[in-house]
Amino acid sequence: DTGVSQDPRHKITKRGQNVTFRCDPISEHNRLYWYRQTLGQGPEFLTYFQNEAQLEKSRLLSDRFSAERPKGSFSTLEIQRTEQGDSAMYLCASSLDPITEAFFGQGTRLTVV
Amino acid sequence: DAKTTQPPSMDCAEGRAANLPCNHSTISGNEYVYWYRQIHSQGPQYIIHGLKNNETNEMASLIITEDRKSSTLILPHATLRDTAVYYCIVRVAAGANSKLTFGKGITLSVRP
């Protein structure tokens, strides 16, 4: 395991469909973060977990978004009833603790048509 | 978290030092300064972080002013592969606000 892994790398979906993304953090990293990035902007925080506990959610995370980290290892981010405005790069990051650096995955690029 | 201010872009010649400035005038005593960069179509990559003292690693040096209200990231010998968006972030070490909050960053273009 050499880094944070995200799957899929690309997803094209029709408006109204549900999508689920997966993130596998670096082993033993207890913190896991989800971000969203649109063109020309920096990544925007969505939510983070410490082990299996979801400790903070951004107001950007509407009721259509849900994230889980059931066993404190991998995490999933689900978007229900996708809208065109959900088109973005979804990034996952993990860190060992609050101070050490966070390592980011390559992201999942979502296109809603 | 305190906000940071960075110029939108800068360029430098390959082989020269790139000095990237960042203002964080409202930084609190328990907030660290972090730098990340993002090369096109990749996830952000950690570069360096510091609290009060200057820091150096294999990628860069971080110079923090004595009043901690600004900092400079130095890439000592920029290469074409250093062309990227560089984000300066201030962040508390622990607790509910320990997430990284990204701004728009500064786009560094390294020219041949």
Side-chain angles (χ1 to χ4, degrees):
Chain A
D1 185 354
T2 57
V4 177
S5 177
Q6 292 188 245
D7 182 71
R9 291 291 309 278
H10 303 274
K11 177 71 176 179
I12 300 174
T13 191
K14 292 184 178 179
R15 190 175 51 186
Q17 297 293 305
N18 300 343
V19 294
T20 300
F21 310 140
R22 177 179 170 123
C23 171
D24 286 273
I26 294 173
S27 297
E28 299 179 356
H29 278 193
N30 57 38
R31 290 207 167 205
L32 187 147
Y33 304 83
W34 284 100
Y35 286 81
R36 179 175 70 184
Q37 186 173 26
T38 54
L39 198 61
Q41 303 297 316
E44 297 173 292
F45 170 78
L46 291 178
T47 189
Y48 90 90
F49 293 84
Q50 179 160 313
N51 299 313
E52 64 275 9
Q54 189 173 17
L55 296 186
E56 187 175 352
K57 292 196 296 185
S58 163
R59 283 171 289 183
L60 292 174
L61 216 64
S62 75
D63 291 345
R64 297 184 297 106
F65 288 70
S66 62
E68 294 183 342
R69 194 183 183 198
K71 297 182 181 179
S73 57
F74 74 91
S75 175
T76 57
L77 178 68
E78 181 183 16
I79 308 175
Q80 296 183 324
R81 305 181 302 282
T82 52
E83 301 172 357
Q84 286 189 320
D86 297 330
S87 296
M89 175 77 83
Y90 290 84
L91 293 160
C92 175
S94 71
S95 68
L96 188 59
D97 58 45
I99 298 177
T100 55
E101 64 267 35
F103 293 85
F104 282 79
Q106 296 286 53
T108 294
R109 181 166 295 283
L110 173 67
T111 303
V112 181
V113 297
Chain B
D1 286 357
K3 292 186 178 179
T4 62
T5 304
Q6 299 178 259
S9 64
M10 66 176 291
D11 62 31
C12 75
E14 190 176 19
R16 296 294 188 104
N19 298 300
L20 287 69
C22 180
N23 286 322
H24 30 80
S25 58
T26 59
I27 192 170
S28 300
N30 63 344
E31 289 179 317
Y32 287 73
V33 179
Y34 285 76
W35 282 83
Y36 280 76
R37 74 179 182 185
Q38 189 171 25
I39 296 169
H40 184 62
S41 296
Q42 296 184 20
Q45 176 191 22
Y46 167 82
I47 301 173
I48 199 167
H49 75 280
L51 183 63
K52 289 189 287 189
N53 300 323
N54 298 337
E55 301 289 343
T56 296
N57 63 20
E58 64 279 3
M59 289 183 69
S61 294
L62 174 60
I63 308 299
I64 303 174
T65 57
E66 193 169 340
D67 64 7
R68 302 212 319 127
K69 293 185 177 181
S70 65
S71 61
T72 301
L73 180 75
I74 301 172
L75 307 179
H77 306 287
T79 71
L80 298 178
R81 288 176 294 182
D82 292 323
T83 292
V85 179
Y86 287 77
Y87 298 99
C88 170
I89 301 164
V90 294
R91 173 199 192 196
V92 297
N97 292 323
S98 65
K99 61 183 180 291
L100 294 165
T101 301
F102 290 82
K104 290 193 174 183
I106 178 173
T107 299
L108 173 67
S109 300
V110 180
R111 61 180 187 275

